[in-house]
Amino acid sequence: MAEDENRDKRRQRVFKGATILTGITNSEVTCTVRNMHDGGAELMVSIDARVPDEFLLYVPTDGIAYKAVVRWRRENRIGVMFTGTEPKPHWHYG
């Protein structure tokens, strides 16, 4: 089944720099948001990046930290569902 057939909402193509904030000793993973809608996004990460199943996704152009849960993983791409938002963590400098 194609990925598009599993989606309830059509994602808007974007190309935004973002940071995955893992909360593990304030560690961060840089990524690119490829497409996005109110309920989730597709992220591109380094193939060797260690990304936990739940994290904050900080998107500087939006000024928002999205609470994200991983729904799928394929090579250097990760599909996430948003479960809420938070203010940018004070320890993140970006």
Side-chain angles (χ1 to χ4, degrees):
M1 184 178 290
E3 288 177 27
D4 288 344
E5 294 175 21
N6 292 327
R7 296 186 187 146
D8 292 334
K9 299 178 183 176
R10 202 66 191 141
R11 292 182 176 174
Q12 178 181 358
R13 290 185 186 268
V14 297
F15 194 75
K16 298 179 182 181
T19 306
I20 294 169
L21 307 174
T22 66
I24 301 168
T25 62
N26 301 340
S27 64
E28 303 177 0
V29 175
T30 58
C31 66
T32 302
V33 181
R34 289 178 37 107
N35 54 56
M36 182 178 213
H37 64 77
D38 291 342
E42 178 184 338
L43 313 176
M44 277 183 35
V45 298
S46 170
I47 195 88
D48 59 346
R50 292 183 178 210
V51 178
D53 291 335
E54 294 185 30
F55 55 85
L56 282 180
L57 176 69
Y58 179 63
V59 182
T61 57
D62 296 350
I64 297 173
Y66 299 93
K67 294 180 188 176
V69 176
V70 173
R71 301 294 295 193
W72 56 264
R73 297 174 192 258
R74 291 184 188 88
E75 296 178 2
N76 68 332
R77 299 180 305 140
I78 298 174
V80 298
M81 175 180 70
F82 298 142
T83 60
T85 60
E86 288 187 8
K88 182 183 88 150
H90 67 281
W91 52 264
H92 178 65
Y93 297 108

